[in-house]
Amino acid sequence: MLLYSCFSSTTSSSCRLQGRFDLNGMHKAGDVVLGGLFEIHFFSAFPDQSFTSEPQQPTCHGFDVIGFRQAQTMAFAIEEINRNTNLLHNVTLGYSLYDNCNKLGVGFRGALTLASGQEEQIILDKTCAGSPPVLGIVGDSSSTRSIAISAVLGLYRVPMVSYFSTCSCLSNRQKFPSFFRTIPSDAFQVRAMIQILNHFGWTWAGLLVSGDDYGLHAARSFQSDLSLSGEGCLAYLEVLPWGNDPAELRRIVDVMKKSTARVVIVFANEGHMINLMKEVVRQNVTGLQWMASEAWTAAPVLQTPQLMPYLGGTLGIAIRRGEIPGLRKFLLQIHPNLHSNSNSYGNNMVRFWEHTFQCRFPPPPAGWVESGGAICTGEEDLESEGTEFLDLSNLRAEYNVYKAVYALAYALDDMLQCTPGRGPFSGNSCTTLQTMEPWQLVYYLEMVNFTTSFGDQVSFDENGDALPIYDIMNWLWLPDGRTKVQNVGEVKRSASKGEELTLFEDKIFWNFQSKKPPRSVCSQSCPPGTRMVRMKGKPECCFDCIPCSEGKISNNTNSMECTSCPEDFWSSPQRDHCVPKKTEFLSYHEPLGICLTATSLLGTLICAAVLGIFIYYRKTPIVRANNSELSFQLLLSLKLCFLCSLLFIGRPRLWTCQMRHAAFGISFVLCVSCILVKTMVVLAVFKASKPGGGASLKWFGAVQQRGTVLLLTCIQAAICVVWIVSASPLPHKNSQYHSDKIVYECVVGSTVGFAVLLGYIGLLAILSFLLAFLARNLPDSFNEAKLITFSMLIFCAVWVAFVPAYISSPGKHADAVEVFAILASSFGLLVALFGPKCYIILQRPERNTKKAIMGRGIRS
């Protein structure tokens, strides 16, 4: 992969390296060499490129103790594997580890060197056979560097197992076919953070990301997943600048101050956070709940007394913590004099020693001793120094390095144990230690499955991602000013339960006066009885609360829609639950019903009293002269008219609906029939009193009178039977008049039937009125035509007024109108027909004589 200049002679052919990289590295020879890329220095400096002389190599500075410990963890894992007789028996692993100096250009140089070797000159023999310089690479720690390096190494299918690159883009098997990782993808980390947001009800949060692949892909995933979840939105999204850009940082912190979001999520490394927190401290922005990505969750550089008033209580996603037995003992054996032919530590060991003990090996820099600097002897006691290098209580990235090395080792062991003829390669072949190629190891890496001594299962899915699991960390600010990063839960994914969040809320330290989780919402939750309406031009988490309309409820907070109540229910005044609708009908218990009932009973009692009077005085001339039998029938029919009105009062039922109009129709036809026959009898009697008119009375004898009344009444009864059988009136619950009430009413079933019933009564009434009107001038002694005319006039007037009033009256008022019409017309008939007679019987008995009646008739 590196460029070679090739030349030939008569004796041999050879290639010379086109260029050689000067890299910080640690090496150990072995039968199979594994490569590694680690951040052993924070910064790098590139010299000017004038191209007037050979360009100089970049230099690195700012020793990273944690990165150095990660490199030592890989060395320890390889030493442990070499001692394990059950893994890679008779095969010795070596390593070649390079410093990427936290720079893509330096890391890329290291990767190319690992893949191609550093030999100055290679003699090309006829077979050109042999194993590659390294079989696989552990690294890189940065997503940006892993993307660039894996894109190139993937062309040659060189396996690369990262321990800290989390960008979800690296799961793309088309672009990165030989990339694996022992750290979960950011896609899972993003979902884990969204689960935490949902758990605490934080629907309004700010997101800060770094401007590299790690941050930008995290932002894209976060926006997408948050939108899909529908349970939150971002108040702002800002990209943190590279380096120290005071103006841009000031602008970003101003956005944070002005926002109502109390939760700030940061996907960036600790370098970005250091610059950001300087501005946060300068502006004294407190009262925020920080959420950290795995890149800075455990960063000691941020856990200082100056920053803890702002960062205390931070919740962070952290790589799974593990334990590596024997690592501490291995690290204590590190010494600047510890080197031999098989183990080369280069300058890294010296720089580590000088950084740890703050001393310099001879010869020291100019002025070092004069300024009070110490000289390193190499005999310093590493264990008593208490450096973070030996603090193994929080092994996370190191544990991932450890798993990555073992994954390569198990894959290599499976490959070397292949049985010839049963292999996965062409012709069921296997490979050997001398002929194996990196792409062959990729096949076995995809199949690897083992369990670490800590009990964690390691395997890769179809995208090269490990089984995802994260610890949830909380920054505890102790009263004495110390800081402790404590585990308060975990989030993991399993085949059986899916993604699972576990939180121990009682252990979480909240850096607020209330000591409780903050509220971070754009709009307060809508109370029951209201629904959410999004604010125009604002994210979906910002909304107004609008009361539900009548008949609809919302018994949950933050409902988008109000729910309609069932048919027989209505919304409560608070619109938070449904209550049974009020029922309305003409009741016996309400004032109107009581009055109508009392009036009906009063009319019935009056009819009974009049009937009693007529029976008692049945032998008197005035009773006998006015056809006493028809009078008795008329009084009985009027009693029925008064009583039938009671069927219109009370809750409608099937039998009352069927009976009310039938009883009303038959009772009034009986009543009007009696009046009609009475009128006809008056006319017949008057005609018979004239010479030659006696024959007319034979058609109006007692039998004919009864038969006529019966016939006319049976016709109405037949109309009622046909009506009830064909389209029976039924009780009905009507909600059209009042939405919040159920009006119980009787529907007539057939409007035609009801019209025929009323029309028949009207026909008889009009006929009676016309006959009585024609007989109005007959002698008073022989007839009561004037009284009948007046009573029929009242009757017709009432029922003519009834029709429009009935049609325009809703619900129970229609029943009240009909009852009123029945009572009014009944009282009209009763008073008009029987009032004068009762007056004569009771008050003027001297006029209740045959002579008086006849005399009055003669005078007329």
Side-chain angles (χ1 to χ4, degrees), residues 523-561:
S523 301
Q524 295 297 325
S525 298
C526 286
T530 63
R531 63 184 179 91
M532 296 190 306
V533 176
R534 285 183 57 182
M535 295 181 183
K536 189 174 182 180
K538 297 282 187 75
E540 62 181 10
C541 294
C542 303
F543 49 83
D544 291 319
C545 299
I546 305 299
C548 294
S549 58
E550 288 187 343
K552 294 186 176 183
I553 64 162
S554 169
N555 51 17
N556 297 318
T557 57
N558 294 345
S559 295
M560 293 297 295
E561 296 293 338

Side-chain angles (χ1 to χ4, degrees), residues 65 69 327-333 352 381-393:
V65 175
R69 186 173 69 189
L327 178 60
R328 178 181 176 83
K329 181 179 179 181
F330 177 82
L331 296 179
L332 285 172
Q333 295 174 356
F352 164 71
D381 186 2
L382 187 61
E383 187 171 13
S384 63
E385 185 63 20
T387 175
E388 62 177 327
F389 181 72
L390 293 176
D391 181 9
L392 306 184
S393 61

Side-chain angles (χ1 to χ4, degrees), residues 413-477:
D413 186 61
D414 291 342
M415 184 168 68
L416 295 179
Q417 290 185 17
C418 174
T419 302
R422 297 182 180 178
F425 306 120
S426 178
N428 296 326
S429 62
C430 298
T431 187
T432 64
L433 193 62
Q434 292 73 30
T435 62
M436 59 186 174
E437 295 289 339
W439 61 265
Q440 294 172 317
L441 188 61
V442 173
Y443 171 83
Y444 285 96
L445 264 176
E446 292 175 341
M447 305 297 175
V448 78
N449 192 337
F450 65 96
T451 303
T452 67
S453 58
F454 191 59
D456 288 333
Q457 182 183 0
V458 179
S459 62
F460 301 104
D461 63 15
E462 64 277 5
N463 297 319
D465 295 327
L467 290 174
I469 182 169
Y470 276 115
D471 290 335
I472 301 173
M473 310 304 293
N474 177 232
W475 289 20
L476 176 61
W477 192 16

